Amino acid sequence: MTSPEQLRTGERADLLQALRQQRAFLRRTVDGLTDEQAALRSTVSELCLGGLIKHVALTEQTWLRFAVHGAEAMRAGQADWADGFRMGDDSLATLLDRYARVASATDELVATLDLDAAHPLPAAPWFEPGASWSVRRVLLHVIAETSQHAGHADILREAIDGAKTMG
């Protein structure tokens, strides 16, 4: 069992702090936007700011299901991949609320999971056949994914109204 002190210091604290910082960068990109602005596609791709929030929340939730239950659990609630980047009928406030709930659940799980526990990855062309990821590796992946999309969001936001969130 993880002690309260271990959650404030050490590896778990470092991982959570890194993830929280990237989440905050991503959330900052949508500050003050309307639903219409959050749904705006400012590049030739399908990306929109609300869609990125939706995608990152779903990605974090899916990878934490993997961390707890393995590859089979990743299929639960799996939607069309491209739809995961669109706001659909959701408001920005709804998407941000969902992301906050996912973040809270992740933070609570990190307190209880064995960082060395591992599961085989699902079969996919981008994974080495037979590879496994530890909970630690999953958290590092979620941090990297969130960071990457925070950067995408910063570019999209600047194209929408000239606001710069990270520089």
Side-chain angles (χ1 to χ4, degrees), residues 63-87:
W63 276 108
L64 267 293
R65 274 199 305 263
F66 169 85
V68 175
H69 302 289
E72 192 59 37
M74 293 182 86
R75 296 194 215 321
Q78 199 171 35
D80 173 44
W81 184 82
D83 186 53
F85 286 98
R86 297 183 192 104
M87 283 181 65

Side-chain angles (χ1 to χ4, degrees), residues 28-34 37-38 40 42 49 153-165:
R28 191 176 310 148
T29 62
V30 298
D31 281 351
L33 291 181
T34 65
Q37 288 172 309
L40 185 65
S42 61
L49 289 167
D154 197 42
I155 293 166
L156 294 177
R157 176 65 188 258
E158 186 174 2
I160 290 169
D161 65 3
K164 294 182 181 181
T165 59

Side-chain angles (χ1 to χ4, degrees), residues 1-158:
M1 183 69 169
T2 306
S3 73
E5 180 59 27
Q6 289 172 306
L7 294 176
R8 289 189 295 275
T9 63
E11 183 178 19
R12 286 174 200 275
D14 289 346
L15 289 167
L16 283 175
Q17 178 55 33
L19 182 54
R20 287 177 185 138
Q21 181 180 42
Q22 296 310 312
R23 287 179 189 141
F25 285 150
L26 179 58
R27 292 178 71 92
R28 191 176 310 148
T29 62
V30 298
D31 281 351
L33 291 181
T34 65
D35 288 343
E36 293 75 24
Q37 288 172 309
L40 185 65
R41 291 175 39 211
S42 61
T43 68
V44 296
S45 75
E46 291 291 320
L47 293 179
C48 69
L49 289 167
L52 279 176
I53 299 287
K54 180 179 177 181
H55 169 74
V56 172
L58 179 61
T59 298
E60 183 172 323
Q61 184 178 49
T62 300
W63 276 108
L64 267 293
R65 274 199 305 263
F66 169 85
V68 175
H69 302 289
E72 192 59 37
M74 293 182 86
R75 296 194 215 321
Q78 199 171 35
D80 173 44
W81 184 82
D83 186 53
F85 286 98
R86 297 183 192 104
M87 283 181 65
D89 294 331
D90 292 319
S91 69
L92 180 57
T94 298
L95 294 171
L96 287 168
D97 182 59
R98 185 177 309 143
Y99 189 32
R101 287 192 315 272
V102 167
S104 179
T106 296
D107 292 357
E108 288 179 28
L109 269 174
V110 170
T112 64
L113 295 176
D114 175 0
L115 297 179
D116 293 320
H119 298 287
L121 290 168
W126 46 88
F127 294 134
E128 179 183 338
S132 292
W133 277 9
S134 67
V135 170
R136 178 183 295 99
R137 179 65 184 93
V138 168
L139 290 171
L140 291 168
H141 179 71
V142 170
I143 293 165
E145 181 91 10
T146 306
S147 177
Q148 177 184 23
H149 289 310
H152 293 149
D154 197 42
I155 293 166
L156 294 177
R157 176 65 188 258
E158 186 174 2

